């Protein structure tokens, strides 16, 4: 069982995002970076499948700048067996990124390729199914639980107001959302072992970037709110405001 | 190259509200370009009946693709039907709702049509003949304005943001078989398990009553359910991650960076501190109400109206007042 997990380096979720002077990029000063949270869920799912099978290999791949090696080391520390850094620029064009990843994954012999449901920087939610299409593989998205049953992958896919049970033959692509299992913390042993695991670096074959970023801006300020009052006695006034001022009741 | 294709969505034979939103947004674009709006509806046999209604929201033509396997979203089948429609019309843009189905479909379309995709847009406009898409990034901490090179320009629209507008057009319904090739479909939906709720999904509700750790335990959700009940069928429940992680509420209700992004008309946060990851999921709500006993809780910084107090006293009173209001209507 060979599983590949695609992970992305993103700013941590608490980070304050400051727009740089050029107006089209984020000021990296002081930012801490993490493995995108959904990619950690994907990695956790991969490690569990391998453990359940009692054999196999989990590879982690990222496309990005050299610094993204840090996130690959984190994946190795969690338990991935090997890692590949595809060095290249990542923009807002998911299809360009997907081409770079697909070029590496093509013919890699992976039975299962896992993605996070979305990367929490650009929040695009597109790279996984794009890679699947480029490779001609079946794909199930937004999966909270997955298991293998005789050469097929059976998934719980989240939809509005419930979930679907979806199956697809292997090899397949799955994008993972939060499920029952929290991503494990790397043990000290894991961190030490990660230093000796293979981390290969090569140039990415990224597709042409066709999303032109015109500018970044901060969200419109919400008009200052007000404290209507304290305790239950403030409720009638709140209801009046919601009805007459905000007109939402 | 002036026409716009809007991909609509149906469930159980009825068009979903997002369909009105996408067709209305397409109408705006087509009017700016001097073109037509074509809608695409995919569903089981019988879908044709409901499809004509899209004319009300501005569709000139409605293309319907029916198949027995389309009672549920079918990734491979929908992709084939949508690619056929997109190729047929030489469209300026193709708009897809950013629903569970649309988020799955749009990237497949992008790859098959070899065009870039902008997802989860909160605004679209024609500027100097070009389509400019505004979309939140970094969980709404910033907005990006992007232009797409290639045609059609493929954009998914965040639900509940684009307001439906009635602008009647012919809405001529045409059935297509779209050259579906079921033998190539590999992803199969075995079953759909609906949550027991008869309430709308948290991404679709007009009002969301959301509870956090301040409620102390799952046994206290009856209080929020009563409030929701008093507000009516347009209301649904949401939750912070803390209570989902604690197993008090299902993940489907989680609002925030690793949960759902919601844009209801009214969001009532009860016993929720307002962590940055929670705000990411609800800051685009039209009106935010916070009920929290800590006057310094960060949720008050984004709330339009706040009550500082004990949820166990404030919420039942709020339920009573709203009941009174509604019985007087
Ligand atoms: C990678 C990552 C992703 C995350 N994603 C999400 C996400 O998607 N969604 C999300 O919500 N969080 C998310 N979080 C977690 C987030 O950081 C917070 O921990 C979480 O939102 C806190 O939930 P809470 O407000 O319910 O609990 P708390 O922060 O514990 O707040 C409880 C609040 O209740 C108030 N309170 C207590 N008793 C009462 C009472 N009797 N009456 C009224 N008020 C009372 C308190 O004053 C307090 O403000 C994420 C975190 C990380 C690191
Ligand atoms: N540069 C990248 N390198 C590796 N994987 C990526 C990259 N960008 C996106 N992905 C994967 O694709 C998923 C969806 O990303 P996105 O479409 O950008 O939201 C992520 O959760 C990752 O699993």
């Amino acid at each position: 069982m060979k599983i590949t997990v695609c992970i992305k380096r993103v700013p941590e979720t608490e980070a304050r995002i400051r727009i740089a002077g050029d107006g089209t990029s984020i000021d990296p000063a002081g930012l801490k970076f993490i493995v995108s949270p959904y990619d950690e869920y994907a990695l956790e799912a991969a490690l569990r499948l391998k453990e359940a099978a009692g054999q196999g290999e989990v590879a982690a791949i990222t496309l990005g700048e050299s610094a993204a090696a840090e996130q690959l080391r984190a994946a190795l520390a969690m338990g991935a067996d090997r890692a590949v850094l595809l060095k290249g620029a990542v923009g807002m064009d998911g299809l360009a990124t997907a081409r770079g990843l697909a070029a590496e994954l093509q013919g890699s012999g992976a039975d299962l390729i896992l993605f996070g449901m979305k990367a929490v920087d650009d929040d695009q939610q597109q790279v996984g199914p794009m890679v699947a299409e480029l490779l001609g593989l079946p794909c199930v998205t937004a999966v909270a639980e997955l298991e293998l049953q005789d050469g097929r992958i059976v998934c719980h896919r989240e939809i509005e107001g419930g979930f679907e049970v979806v199956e697809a033959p292997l090899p397949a692509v799955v994008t993972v959302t939060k499920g029952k299992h929290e991503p494990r913390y790397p043990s000290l042993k894991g961190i030490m072992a990660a230093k000796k695991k293979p981390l290969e670096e090569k140039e990415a074959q990224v597709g042409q970037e066709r999303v032109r970023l015109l500018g970044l801006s901060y969200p419109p300020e919400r008009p200052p709110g007000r404290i209507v009052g304290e305790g239950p006695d403030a409720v009638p006034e709140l209801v009046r405001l919601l009805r007459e001022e905000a007109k939402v009741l | 190259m002036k026409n716009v294709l809007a991909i609509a969505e149906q469930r159980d034979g009825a068009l979903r509200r997002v369909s009105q939103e996408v067709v209305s947004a397409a109408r705006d674009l087509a009017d700016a370009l001097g073109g037509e709006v074509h809608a695409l509806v995919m569903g089981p046999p019988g879908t044709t009946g409901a499809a004509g209604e899209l004319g009300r929201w501005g569709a000139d033509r409605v293309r319907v693709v029916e198949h027995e396997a389309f009672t549920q979203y079918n990734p491979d089948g929908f992709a084939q039907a949508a690619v056929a429609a997109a190729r047929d019309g030489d469209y300026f843009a193709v708009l897809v709702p950013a629903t569970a189905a649309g988020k799955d479909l749009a990237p497949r379309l992008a790859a098959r049509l070899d065009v870039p995709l902008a997802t989860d847009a909160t605004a679209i406009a024609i500027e100097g003949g070009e389509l400019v898409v505004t979309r939140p990034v970094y969980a709404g901490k910033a907005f990006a304005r992007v232009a797409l090179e290639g045609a059609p320009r493929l954009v998914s629209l965040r639900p509940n943001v684009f307001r439906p507008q009635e602008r009647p057009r012919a809405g001529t319904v045409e059935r297509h078989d779209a050259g579906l090739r079921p033998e190539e479909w590999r992803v199969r939906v075995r079953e759909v398990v609906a949550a027991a709720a008869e309430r709308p999904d948290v991404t679709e509700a007009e009002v969301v009553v959301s509870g956090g750790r301040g409620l102390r335990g799952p046994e206290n959700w009856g209080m929020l359910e009563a409030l929701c009940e008093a507000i009516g069928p347009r209301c649904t429940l949401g939750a912070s991650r803390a209570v989902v992680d604690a197993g008090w509420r299902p993940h489907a209700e989680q609002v925030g960076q690793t949960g759902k992004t919601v844009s209801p008309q009214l969001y009532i946060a009860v016993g929720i501190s307002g962590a940055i990851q929670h705000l990411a999921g609800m800051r685009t709500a039209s009106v935010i109400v916070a009920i929290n006993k800590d006057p310094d809780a960060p949720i008050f910084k984004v709330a339009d109206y706040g009550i500082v107090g004990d949820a166990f006293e404030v919420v039942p009173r709020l339920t009573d007042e709203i009941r009174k209001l509604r019985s007087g209507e």
Side-chain angles (χ1 to χ4, degrees), chain A residues 5-9 36 38-39 42 61-64 90 94 97 101 114-128 175:
Chain A
V5 186
C6 294
I7 66 170
K8 190 177 189 192
R9 170 184 169 88
S36 185
Y38 291 101
D39 303 356
I61 296 194
T62 195
L63 194 163
V90 184
T97 302
L101 293 170
L114 298 186
F115 289 82
M117 184 180 72
K118 71 174 166 189
V120 305
D121 50 359
D122 293 338
D123 294 332
Q124 293 266 52
Q125 206 164 334
Q126 53 175 252
V127 171
T175 81

Side-chain angles (χ1 to χ4, degrees), chain A residues 121 141 165 178 222 245, chain B residues 104 138 190 193 245 283 305:
Chain A
D121 50 359
T141 58
V165 184
K178 186 177 161 187
R222 291 191 75 91
E245 192 177 80
Chain B
D104 185 282
Y138 298 96
R190 269 200 207 161
V193 183
D245 283 354
R283 70 198 317 159
Y305 306 108

